[in-house]
Amino acid sequence: MRILIIGSGGREHALTWALARSTHAAELYIAPGNPGTSLLGINVDIAVGDIDTLLRFAQEHQIDLTVVGPEQPLVDGIVDAFQAEGLAIVGPTAAAAQLEGSKAFSKAFMAKHGIPTAAYATFGRDQHDEAMAYIAEQGAPIVVKASGLAAGKGAVVCTAVDDAQATASGMLRGDAFGAAGEHIVVEAFMEGEEASLFALCDGTDYVLLAPAQDHKRVGEGDTGLNTGGMGAYAPAPVMTPGLIDEACRTIVEPTLAGMRAEGSPYTGILYVGLMITSEGPKVVEYNCRFGDPETQVVLPLLKDDLIDLFFKLTQGQLRDVTLTPTEGAAACVVLASGGYPAAYEKGKTITGDVDSVSDEVMVFQAGTKQHNGHLVTAGGRVLAVSAIGGDIPAALDRAYGRLGEISFGDAYYRRDIGWRAIERLNTADR
Ligand code: GLY
């Protein structure tokens, strides 16, 4: 069996690692991959956006299953292109990927199908004055979002009206986020704790993976600039069994039913970014892919065979699947280049044992490359150390222990990953 994984980050390394653990003997190809994925399969030098070449590669190499990591090729129609040629691929069609690709679409969808989310209004480029008036009327705090894909940076929480108006103006004028800001969504600020829910969906049925939480801010105490994610853990204690049931009933199931009713059944990974408010879970955003770095904690906890699950997903057969309950917890800590998410240097030699993995500790590479026989830094988030343990503190101890053995010039990591979970667990103990 041959599997193609598309992407090059820590998420794709974790996906490749989980697929490599399958009982099926599979040849893994990763396009374009990274030095970590090359330890598990064959990296193929094709960019994630080059759908035609990826399709040709899949046909020529008789790929049985393709798994797409990032959102852009999904929004651009890679699933439609592969399915048109009869190839199995994990992900939503371009129409269904609008749940992530267009916040204007997803908010209108949620309003139509009664899915809990923040109150909002959408504005286009010719509605600048209306947007300013709406923001003034609503007051702050308020959230301004570019409707299109903006590499995770398109949602701005504004604490003052003039700030929100300036942000909205910048987006609508195209100064910030270009075409992604052709439409903006202005929505009420939601108070609460965030969590990430991942469902494997076959259009009708779904299975839910362990709920996770990530740390988006660069600084300890969740301060400073937004990043792609500095660490994560699962299962997130904030997601009690009752809240998980409620989120499935009020969000995941109506989303699948709604997409079917819209004529775009949702297949692939549905990542629901939740806010746990005093009124229950509400949708912050949908993503049409796995999270990064949440994948690095969710997949190590998965006991079932990921290849089997992905085939069942593409064949519409998730109805009869019950996942084996997870045990313990997983945590991951991202080791980043100093300065990230602002300017940082690349090309620092990475020392320490990056390659060996066990069932308990894994190093997932992201911004790395081989240079003159050395592994060097090549991005902001360089790698993540993931570990599993009996509980979140035990998993964190293991992850930090291994992280301490890896270094490079100007390396930076947060020392407080999991603080919310630990606080919650300590409170529950009292
Ligand atoms: N961890 C956030 C994301 O993947 O979008």
Side-chain angles (χ1 to χ4, degrees), residues 13-39:
H13 189 179
L15 271 164
T16 309
W17 171 84
L19 292 164
R21 298 174 93 199
S22 166
T23 53
H24 298 276
E27 277 174 42
L28 303 178
Y29 295 87
I30 312 94
N34 65 38
T37 61
S38 73
L39 304 171

Side-chain angles (χ1 to χ4, degrees), residues 10 21 43 115 181 213 252 292 303 317 385 410:
R21 298 174 93 199
N43 285 354
I115 296 167
Q213 276 181 310
V252 178
D292 189 339
K303 292 192 175 301
Q317 290 177 358
V385 179
D410 265 352

Side-chain angles (χ1 to χ4, degrees), residues 40-345:
L40 300 164
I42 298 170
N43 285 354
V44 183
D45 189 16
I46 308 174
V48 296
D50 190 352
I51 294 177
D52 290 344
T53 310
L54 289 167
L55 177 58
R56 218 166 35 246
F57 177 87
Q59 289 171 318
E60 284 169 7
H61 289 77
Q62 294 167 354
I63 296 292
D64 297 290
L65 180 74
T66 298
V67 181
V68 187
E71 61 276 16
Q72 189 72 58
L74 295 165
V75 171
D76 291 344
I78 192 169
V79 169
D80 309 67
F82 274 54
Q83 285 179 347
E85 297 300 325
L87 295 174
I89 182 164
V90 177
T93 59
Q98 286 302 293
L99 279 184
E100 176 167 0
S102 166
K103 295 201 191 310
F105 171 88
S106 66
K107 294 294 285 191
F109 170 83
M110 286 186 269
K112 180 171 171 187
H113 294 280
I115 296 167
T117 187
Y120 79 105
T122 302
F123 302 94
R125 290 225 154 123
D126 56 353
Q127 293 173 299
H128 181 272
D129 293 352
E130 288 92 325
M132 299 303 115
Y134 180 80
I135 291 168
E137 188 188 307
Q138 297 299 311
I142 194 161
V143 185
V144 181
K145 295 179 171 176
S147 177
L149 291 183
K153 301 191 176 83
V156 185
V157 177
C158 302
T159 50
V161 164
D162 53 357
D163 203 19
Q165 288 175 325
T167 303
S169 271
M171 288 184 187
L172 287 172
R173 276 198 309 266
D175 301 346
F177 311 116
E182 257 168 31
H183 288 90
I184 62 168
V185 166
V186 181
E187 67 176 31
F189 174 77
M190 289 190 282
E191 202 78 64
E193 200 169 322
E194 287 190 57
S196 306
L197 217 53
F198 298 95
L200 304 185
C201 307
D202 69 5
T204 306
D205 295 297
Y206 68 98
V207 291
L208 206 64
L209 304 179
Q213 276 181 310
D214 71 342
H215 290 272
K216 294 191 173 67
R217 302 299 189 100
V218 71
E220 286 167 16
D222 292 323
T223 56
L225 294 173
N226 259 333
T227 69
M230 296 300 293
Y233 46 92
V238 67
M239 291 304 294
T240 59
L243 277 175
I244 293 174
D245 281 354
E246 188 177 346
C248 287
R249 197 167 30 78
T250 62
I251 296 170
V252 178
E253 287 159 24
T255 300
L256 292 186
M259 291 303 283
R260 273 201 317 279
E262 300 294 332
S264 300
Y266 192 94
T267 57
I269 292 99
L270 180 67
Y271 162 4
V272 189
L274 293 175
M275 186 67 78
I276 311 306
T277 73
S278 55
E279 294 165 347
K282 295 189 180 186
V283 178
V284 176
E285 63 179 10
Y286 291 110
N287 295 303
C288 60
R289 48 162 176 95
F290 271 119
D292 189 339
E294 292 98 323
T295 309
Q296 291 88 311
V297 290
V298 167
L299 292 184
L301 289 176
L302 180 69
K303 292 192 175 301
D304 301 79
D305 191 301
L306 191 57
I307 293 184
D308 282 341
L309 285 174
F310 279 163
F311 271 115
K312 289 209 160 93
L313 183 161
T314 60
Q315 292 160 357
Q317 290 177 358
L318 287 177
R319 173 173 297 246
D320 300 325
V321 175
T322 306
L323 292 184
T324 312
T326 60
E327 283 167 17
C332 96
V333 183
V334 168
L335 193 57
S337 299
Y340 171 78
Y344 56 85
E345 288 178 14

Side-chain angles (χ1 to χ4, degrees), residues 380-399:
R381 289 191 295 170
V382 173
L383 54 85
V385 179
S386 290
I388 56 177
D391 54 17
I392 289 174
L396 282 164
D397 273 355
R398 274 202 184 119

